[in-house]
Amino acid sequence: IRDSANPDGTYHGGNGSVYGATRYNANGYDLNRNFPDIISGVHPNEQQETAVFRSLAEQNNFTLCANFHGGAEVINYPWDAWSNGYPDYVSHADEVWYQFISHLYADTCQTYSPSNYMDGFDDGITNGGAWYVTHGNRQDYMNWYMKSREVTMEISNTKLLSANLLPAHWEYNKRSFLNYIESILYGVRGIVTDTSGTPLHAFV
């Protein structure tokens, strides 16, 4: 599923163009700081857009997700709410997997792009909280509350790419997208059933 998590901000400059887009919705909220937070729970002023996305997530069992940003070239993996010294560094239990899948994405981009694309940070990846701490973002919400797997893909140092640069960035990223989708097949998977083979609701 592809969505614009912030339609008000995307079309802030008018319905016919994304020129003038902003990260804030019509009520002035940064929606990527409006999700239930690992530390403080549900945002006291949860916005309609956040509620709609939460409803979508809670009605489905999304195994693998990603959200896309501009402003840097890096794959950001959880957690975002903790870093060294805040208050203690807390690694994701599957940090090695996140590092692997993030490097796979960045390395593939590097193969199919100019030599300086997505090669900063730790060779194109970063732990979110080690970069900078944020609260109430979608990545942590999906991983912590929904038990999904989500990373944040920052695909351009330019916050809002001009249309003529989009085909090139598609070429840089498309094979990485396919690798990321394929990674849903890694690891243990299956269906929990009863003795007659009927699928059961189960938490593993």
Side-chain angles (χ1 to χ4, degrees):
I1 293 174
R2 179 207 162 274
D3 72 279
S4 173
N6 182 10
D8 288 346
T10 300
Y11 298 103
H12 180 73
N15 289 336
S17 173
V18 297
Y19 181 77
T22 174
R23 64 185 300 134
Y24 302 98
N25 73 351
N27 295 328
Y29 282 89
D30 181 344
L31 297 175
N32 202 35
R33 303 292 183 267
N34 193 241
F35 283 91
D37 182 61
I38 294 173
I39 296 170
S40 55
V42 176
H43 195 285
N45 292 305
E46 183 178 76
Q47 297 295 289
Q48 179 181 3
E49 299 93 332
T50 309
V52 167
F53 185 89
R54 285 184 61 196
S55 178
L56 175 70
E58 291 163 10
Q59 291 173 33
N60 294 275
N61 183 26
F62 294 127
T63 305
L64 187 71
C65 308
N67 66 83
F68 297 88
H69 293 199
E73 294 171 3
V74 67
I75 306 304
N76 171 359
Y77 62 87
W79 303 107
D80 285 331
W82 288 293
S83 71
N84 290 322
Y86 183 86
D88 299 301
Y89 179 74
V90 181
S91 298
H92 195 288
D94 294 324
E95 182 156 359
V96 172
W97 181 88
Y98 277 105
Q99 290 174 340
F100 168 77
I101 203 64
S102 298
H103 272 304
L104 179 62
Y105 192 102
D107 291 351
T108 305
C109 280
Q110 292 165 12
T111 300
Y112 295 98
S113 66
S115 60
N116 61 346
Y117 184 71
M118 207 172 283
D119 65 353
F121 296 83
D122 176 15
D123 195 25
I125 77 169
T126 188
N127 169 266
W131 183 14
Y132 65 97
V133 171
T134 65
H135 295 282
N137 63 71
R138 198 182 93 176
Q139 174 173 283
D140 279 4
Y141 163 72
M142 289 299 290
N143 285 286
W144 180 270
Y145 287 96
M146 301 312 301
K147 311 301 186 237
S148 182
R149 300 285 182 109
E150 178 163 324
V151 300
T152 300
M153 297 180 177
E154 301 266 1
I155 61 172
S156 169
N157 285 329
T158 302
K159 198 72 172 171
L160 187 62
L161 282 170
S162 60
N164 66 308
L165 296 177
L166 294 177
H169 280 74
W170 169 244
E171 286 298 321
Y172 304 163
N173 285 272
K174 70 180 181 182
R175 296 163 189 88
S176 298
F177 292 152
L178 295 174
N179 286 342
Y180 188 73
I181 293 167
E182 189 176 83
S183 72
I184 200 170
L185 302 175
Y186 297 169
V188 177
R189 57 195 172 95
I191 299 173
V192 178
T193 67
D194 63 19
T195 55
S196 66
T198 303
L200 297 173
H201 291 288
F203 180 79
V204 177

